[in-house]
Amino acid sequence: MLAPNTKVDKKDAKLVLANMIWVAFALLIGGTAGLLQTLVRSGHFELPFGIGYYQLLTLHGVILALVMTFFFIMGFQIAALSRTSGPLNKKERTLGWIGFWVMTIGTLMSATMIALNEASVLYTFYAPLQAHVIHYIGLALVIVGTWISVAGQMMRYFRWRRENKGQKTPLLSYMTAVNNLMWYVCTIGVASTVLFQFVPWSLGLVETINITLSRTLFWYFGHALVYFWLLPAYMVWYAVTPKILGAKGFSDNLARLSFVLFLFFSIPVGIHHQLVDPGIDAFWKGLQVVLTFMVIVPSLMTAFSMFAVFETYGRNKGATGLLDWFKKLPWTDARFVLLFIGMLFFIPGGLGGIINASGQMNQLVHNTIWIVGHFHITVGAPVILTYFAAMMFLLPHLTGRKIDKIANRLGLMLAYTWALGMGIMSAAMHFAGLRGAPRRSTFSEYGGAEVAEEWITYQVMQAVGGSFLFIAIIIAILLFLKLVTGPKVNDVEEFPVAEFMDQYDPAVKWVDNWRLLIIITAFLVLIAYTVPITQMFTENIPGAKGFKLW
């Protein structure tokens, strides 16, 4: 048996498992929709039963990018808090359950409207495409559900601080609190546009909608959303990976600083998604590009920290040459392989992000499928593969089981199959995008246009990659079932949490000053957004009526 205070509380475990069941279900539904999309774009497949391509595209985006990730993050963060700060109390756990059910209701409302083809507006729901009001209310409830769950998590974190005054907070708990604070700040944008623009507009209470304002409020939320997905993966990289290796983490204080920098610079950068949009002055676009590049700093800090751990581990195992440590890494441990392959994908993903955020280069790729390839190589590989790695130790830990040889082999198969599929598909998207292939569009030869012929081979390759990814999803579902249905054991799988080389050094005081962190975050947001949004209210921007095109 594991020693006391090293396990997730049994009552908390039920809440975590409820969230993880949604993750598996969403992965299967959203992944099936993704496979069908790639087949359609190949030009050799037509959707059956009158299913629309954009209906499918909306389902894929909403279910994978929002539903699957939100349920995983809520579950993982609750587990991380319970593991490192201690069990949630009844009130905190009740908020978690209320949040879970509100998210579930919202998901079902939105999915129903998508299934009825009343909400084929893609996951970004750009106006003037108009969905049924139930879809917008459903999405709003999903966000509100996260707010409620996060409230319980924050209560647990600050209760630990009150009960342990003067002590350094557990790293995983601190990281969870930073991610949650960022979430509260960034969701103000999407909540505002849904509540005050989309709901009245879809009900017919107002005839038109300010598109520039709605897109700006969405991307105020939308880029920070990427880091809301990513930071739980970083939590695993920093705080779990060294323990899996049997080594110490590089620096606890550096990890905290990197999360603070992500908090500061992940929100006031959304306009870099709107570099080709009218209605926003070039100065403010340029400012947010500069702030976007600031996010590179904590990303490089993370890369340095992780590879320092890997090299230290390898040299402790006897590595002597420049890169000999690479051979010493535990290539037979699926938890590590999933994590490491995800990290490798993030290297080209980060380079692509620099291109996308650069004004002149963005104009070349903005409305092409390059962007879709970038999205998949940054979120669909590093984030999701790390989520899979976390599920490998978390699910048996919660259910009183152990990773056996079969589960480990399934994990290795999942890692390599996913990497193959994602590598083929995202590479094809990038190359097709450089040749002008559009995004957000079903297969089209553009009336036999010569330039479109260059895209066909790449679109077939996307279908090949998508097929491998679907096989990987089936493996992931089998792994999920294996991890939760195997025989119970006394030697329960560990929820690994690492110690650091500077474990007992005091934390940098200002990093724990939450009032200061909130002030700096708010200041950067106000600098970046006050003038652009004020102009959208004061300038004579024409409104747009709603359209339902499919």
Side-chain angles (χ1 to χ4, degrees), residues 282-493:
F283 172 81
W284 299 106
K285 291 179 179 178
L287 173 65
Q288 295 211 16
V289 165
V290 172
L291 292 174
T292 301
F293 288 162
M294 294 299 294
V295 181
I296 298 171
V297 175
S299 295
L300 292 176
M301 290 165 62
T302 302
F304 173 81
S305 297
M306 296 317 304
F307 280 87
V309 170
F310 298 150
E311 182 170 359
T312 301
Y313 168 82
R315 299 205 180 281
N316 288 338
K317 292 291 183 179
T320 56
L322 180 63
L323 296 175
D324 191 40
W325 56 268
F326 185 79
K327 300 176 185 177
K328 303 291 185 181
L329 296 173
W331 296 110
T332 57
D333 188 333
R335 299 170 301 170
F336 169 77
V337 173
L338 284 161
L339 289 163
F340 191 81
I341 291 176
M343 293 178 191
L344 293 183
F345 266 101
F346 203 64
I347 296 171
L351 294 173
I354 295 172
I355 291 171
N356 299 342
S358 303
Q360 295 90 335
M361 287 187 283
N362 179 275
Q363 293 183 48
L364 175 66
V365 299
H366 184 86
N367 280 315
T368 75
I369 202 167
W370 163 288
I371 299 297
V372 183
H374 166 74
F375 184 81
H376 282 84
I377 208 172
T378 50
V379 177
V383 170
I384 301 304
L385 285 174
T386 303
Y387 287 5
F388 288 153
M391 297 273 267
M392 280 204 70
F393 64 77
L394 188 57
L395 292 176
H397 177 85
L398 297 173
T399 57
R401 292 171 170 84
K402 192 80 174 174
I403 300 173
D404 60 18
K405 289 183 178 180
I406 296 175
N408 191 65
R409 286 173 185 168
L410 284 171
L412 291 171
M413 291 170 59
L414 171 59
Y416 293 121
T417 308
W418 192 277
L420 178 63
M422 189 61 72
I424 294 172
M425 187 182 76
S426 61
M429 289 176 171
H430 279 84
F431 286 119
L434 290 177
R435 285 159 176 78
R439 60 172 168 155
R440 302 194 187 98
S441 67
T442 184
F443 172 82
S444 175
E445 60 184 15
Y446 280 77
E450 184 177 348
V451 67
E453 294 179 6
E454 299 180 16
W455 311 335
I456 306 301
T457 301
Y458 295 108
Q459 290 174 163
V460 172
M461 292 306 296
Q462 290 169 35
V464 172
S467 299
F468 278 113
L469 281 171
F470 187 73
I471 294 171
I473 287 171
I474 299 302
I475 296 172
I477 299 300
L478 293 174
L479 177 60
F480 181 94
L481 294 173
K482 173 65 177 171
L483 292 171
V484 298
T485 60
K488 291 196 173 185
V489 296
N490 290 327
D491 184 21
V492 177
E493 186 68 37

Side-chain angles (χ1 to χ4, degrees), residues 486-509:
K488 291 196 173 185
V489 296
N490 290 327
D491 184 21
V492 177
E493 186 68 37
E494 180 186 20
F495 183 148
V497 177
E499 287 193 355
F500 288 79
M501 297 178 188
D502 59 353
Q503 180 77 25
Y504 301 105
D505 292 354
V508 179
K509 288 187 177 181

